[in-house]
Amino acid sequence: SIYDLMHESEKECIRFRIVPNLSLFITREVHIEYYGELPILSLRKEPLDDVGNRIKKRMLDIAISLFVTLIILSWLIPLIGLLIFLESGGPIFFKQLRTGKNNRPFYCWKFRSMKKNKDADSKQASQNDSRITRIGKFLRKSSIDEFPQFINVLKGEMSLVGPRPHMIKHTTDYSNLVDGYMIRQFIKPGITGWAQINGYRGEITNPEQIKMRVNKDLWYLENWTLWLDIRILFLTGYFILKGDANAY
């Protein structure tokens, strides 16, 4: 029997290994994890499944978002709020239901960069969009409109780095268009992400763009490290200072 072979091999100082044949059931690479002594097969590795890794990521989120909230937003909100109000009246903020971790909706906050319009929850901003105000154009180009999302991070609804949260309608549309789309919802959405620093930000105009964006998001989910988050944050700052053609 196989147990006799194992016993005889070890008597001869030979390591014995068993290769399970799963090809009848699974035709792609799998990862083995252990819950106690129980082996579990999964289709992908997820570093953020580990509690210790989630704590590290959350500590980075809290440290940076608390700094930004206290040191920057404390004076930026009154200043930007006044400019928005002088141009187009209130409100100062724009909040929108977006899809978060585990497909749970949350209100994502931004500085309002558009005139009030009925298409806000269904239509993405496009280049030369007539809905964008003058101050809004500056806010979007500089990415300052996203700064209120540091409050979303403090509340635990978002992370500094992760897949960008989409409108509820777009989550439904894209999940029907791209296989594996909903896997990106396994982790918290981010203010910035691996897809964004690789050129996939802004308006989605064809199916290939969302497919590539999802591809980058899933790579991030499977390859997360704290150093990767720090690298993405630095590169995000670099691209903001350099200017991004997709920021409009």
Side-chain angles (χ1 to χ4, degrees), residues 79-222:
L79 175 61
I80 298 299
L82 178 61
L83 294 175
I84 292 172
F85 184 80
L86 289 175
E87 181 179 3
S88 58
I92 294 168
F93 296 108
F94 171 71
K95 68 174 185 175
Q96 184 179 66
L97 267 180
R98 296 198 178 185
T99 311
K101 183 180 178 182
N102 296 326
N103 208 30
R104 290 194 298 265
F106 73 100
Y107 280 106
C108 181
W109 289 79
K110 301 177 72 171
F111 284 120
R112 183 171 62 84
S113 60
M114 290 186 175
K115 303 166 188 172
K116 296 177 187 178
N117 67 93
K118 58 180 173 39
D119 297 321
D121 292 326
S122 60
K123 183 181 177 183
Q124 284 186 305
S126 58
Q127 198 161 20
N128 302 316
D129 197 316
S130 61
R131 298 174 298 166
I132 299 175
T133 61
R134 283 177 299 171
I135 183 63
K137 187 174 182 180
F138 164 75
L139 294 176
R140 299 178 76 93
K141 193 68 178 175
S142 61
S143 296
I144 291 175
D145 64 320
E146 309 282 2
F147 267 58
Q149 287 162 38
F150 284 100
I151 298 172
N152 286 118
V153 175
L154 270 182
K155 292 169 66 179
E157 298 164 331
M158 294 179 65
S159 178
L160 295 171
V161 181
R164 283 295 294 160
H166 291 150
M167 304 176 198
I168 304 294
K169 179 185 183 302
H170 286 172
T171 295
T172 302
D173 293 343
Y174 297 150
S175 63
N176 292 325
L177 186 65
V178 182
D179 290 338
Y181 175 88
M182 293 305 294
I183 296 167
R184 70 197 292 278
Q185 309 303 142
F186 286 175
I187 58 176
K188 289 180 184 178
I191 296 177
T192 185
W194 184 243
Q196 282 63 46
I197 66 162
N198 280 280
Y200 296 100
R201 72 169 283 186
E203 185 184 14
I204 295 169
T205 57
N206 61 69
E208 190 60 30
Q209 287 177 321
I210 186 61
K211 288 177 183 177
M212 290 303 299
R213 193 172 295 194
V214 169
N215 178 271
K216 297 296 183 186
D217 288 338
L218 299 192
W219 185 91
Y220 170 79
L221 180 147
E222 295 180 5

Side-chain angles (χ1 to χ4, degrees), residues 50-70:
D50 179 76
V51 174
N53 285 340
R54 290 202 302 272
I55 290 173
K56 292 175 190 175
K57 186 172 176 64
R58 182 62 181 151
M59 288 176 65
L60 180 67
D61 284 348
I62 291 173
I64 294 180
S65 58
L66 189 61
F67 173 85
V68 171
T69 300
L70 295 178

Side-chain angles (χ1 to χ4, degrees), residues 4-16:
D4 293 329
L5 286 172
M6 292 171 66
H7 182 66
E8 290 301 318
S9 296
E10 289 176 347
K11 280 176 61 178
E12 298 297 326
C13 199
I14 299 171
R15 290 186 177 88
F16 192 95

